[in-house]
């Protein structure tokens, strides 16, 4: 079965540079989530999109922005990178459906490991 | 106080043992609950959803106690391959899913 695809798998950037992470959700999934996981930390919710509209926002810095496109893929744009942005970034997708499904679990991609030097 | 809390462990148990983890959540309006397993530097993988009446999947049993605001995961007959970090996840509204800090399990031969 098709899974969530993230690219790139690894990314090395310098301070103050910009990075773009991409996510392709499971086909027919209508909701995309972005999480940041630092070393030894739990995944921290950044932002989510439902049917291409931002649906919820967590602890996402103002330097970051995200969007979901017409083909449902999503991109996380990170500017003015700081050393503390080094982390694993996960994208997840789920199927909420038109009626909304509170019980639909998240399915995660393999993640992008961002290292800021 | 974190919205979703877990004992970080580690829980070191011998093969064949039964081990239980709890996870407490602070938002009484939370809608749905999940257990995930995460291996080192890999993505979280869904272990099971947690239903109100409790549910079982092989050696794994999940339960929900809404009155006390916690969920639990019971693993019977632990295998070496069960060694991982177990994350509970709570959907608080329509979208946002919050994860606990994870409980590390090490199954010892």
């Amino acid at each position: 079965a098709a899974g969530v695809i993230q690219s790139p798998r690894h990314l090395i950037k310098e301070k103050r540079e910009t990075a773009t992470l991409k996510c392709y959700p499971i086909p027919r999934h209508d909701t995309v989530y972005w999480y940041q996981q630092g070393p030894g930390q739990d995944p921290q919710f950044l932002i989510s999109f439902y049917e291409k509209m931002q649906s919820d926002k967590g602890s996402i810095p103002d330097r970051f922005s995200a969007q979901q496109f017409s083909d449902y893929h999503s991109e996380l744009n990170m500017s003015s990178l700081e050393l503390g942005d080094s982390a694993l970034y996960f994208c997840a997708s789920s199927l909420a459906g038109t009626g909304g499904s509170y019980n639909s679990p998240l399915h995660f991609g393999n993640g992008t490991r961002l290292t800021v030097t | 106080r974190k919205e979703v809390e877990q004992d970080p462990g580690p829980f070191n148990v011998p093969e064949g043992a039964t081990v239980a983890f709890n996870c407490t959540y602070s938002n009484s309006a939370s809608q749905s609950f999940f257990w995930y397993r995460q291996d080192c530097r890999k993505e979280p993988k869904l272990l099971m959803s947690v239903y109100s009446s409790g549910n079982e999947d092989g050696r794994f049993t999940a339960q929900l106690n809404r009155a006390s605001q916690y969920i639990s995961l019971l693993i019977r007959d632990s295998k070496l391959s069960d060694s991982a970090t177990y994350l509970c996840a709570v959907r608080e509204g329509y979208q946002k899913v919050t994860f606990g800090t994870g409980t590390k399990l090490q199954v010892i031969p």
Side-chain angles (χ1 to χ4, degrees):
Chain A
V4 177
I5 298 172
Q6 289 187 248
S7 67
R9 290 297 304 276
H10 302 274
L11 192 57
I12 299 174
K13 291 284 186 179
E14 294 188 356
K15 281 196 307 183
R16 293 180 288 279
E17 284 193 317
T18 296
T20 297
L21 279 53
K22 294 187 178 182
C23 170
Y24 293 85
I26 291 172
R28 289 184 293 281
H29 276 195
D30 51 22
T31 309
V32 166
Y33 306 76
W34 285 98
Y35 284 85
Q36 177 193 60
Q37 187 172 28
Q41 306 291 316
D42 52 292
Q44 292 293 312
F45 172 74
L46 293 178
I47 196 167
S48 63
F49 293 87
Y50 170 65
E51 284 292 340
K52 294 159 278 185
M53 300 288 290
Q54 182 182 309
S55 53
D56 214 337
K57 200 170 182 181
S59 50
I60 183 169
D62 292 340
R63 299 176 290 108
F64 294 7
S65 65
Q67 57 182 322
Q68 188 177 28
F69 295 86
S70 57
D71 64 352
Y72 288 88
H73 94 272
S74 179
E75 294 183 3
L76 178 66
N77 298 294
M78 309 159 71
S79 62
S80 303
L81 286 169
E82 301 173 356
L83 295 178
D85 296 329
S86 296
L88 263 172
Y89 289 83
F90 289 111
C91 173
S93 72
S94 71
L95 177 62
T98 53
S101 172
Y102 294 117
N103 290 325
S104 56
L106 275 59
H107 299 272
F108 284 81
N110 291 334
T112 293
R113 182 169 300 279
L114 173 66
T115 302
V116 181
T117 61
Chain B
R1 183 187 169 197
K2 279 184 70 72
E3 297 166 56
V4 182
E5 294 196 35
Q6 295 181 252
D7 181 344
F11 284 59
N12 297 313
V13 302
E15 269 186 291
T18 295
V19 62
F21 310 134
N22 280 344
C23 167
T24 58
Y25 59 94
S26 59
N27 187 346
S28 59
S30 296
Q31 299 287 343
S32 51
F33 310 88
F34 311 95
W35 282 103
Y36 282 80
R37 169 198 170 122
Q38 186 173 31
D39 294 286
C40 189
R41 301 164 81 86
K42 298 263 183 89
E43 76 276 18
K45 290 189 175 175
L46 179 68
L47 187 62
M48 57 200 303
S49 301
V50 185
Y51 301 122
S52 297
S53 55
N55 47 302
E56 189 174 305
D57 183 1
R59 298 182 293 110
F60 300 86
T61 300
Q63 292 195 316
L64 167 64
N65 186 320
R66 282 196 184 271
S68 301
Q69 293 183 206
Y70 74 86
I71 62 173
S72 64
L73 177 68
L74 182 78
I75 305 176
R76 289 182 299 278
D77 189 21
S78 299
K79 312 288 185 195
L80 294 176
S81 57
D82 294 333
S83 298
T85 295
Y86 290 82
L87 296 159
C88 64
V90 177
R91 176 174 272 121
E92 301 178 16
Y94 183 61
Q95 294 292 329
K96 180 184 176 184
V97 176
T98 301
F99 283 82
T101 47
T103 298
K104 188 170 182 179
L105 171 66
Q106 185 69 47
V107 181
I108 303 164

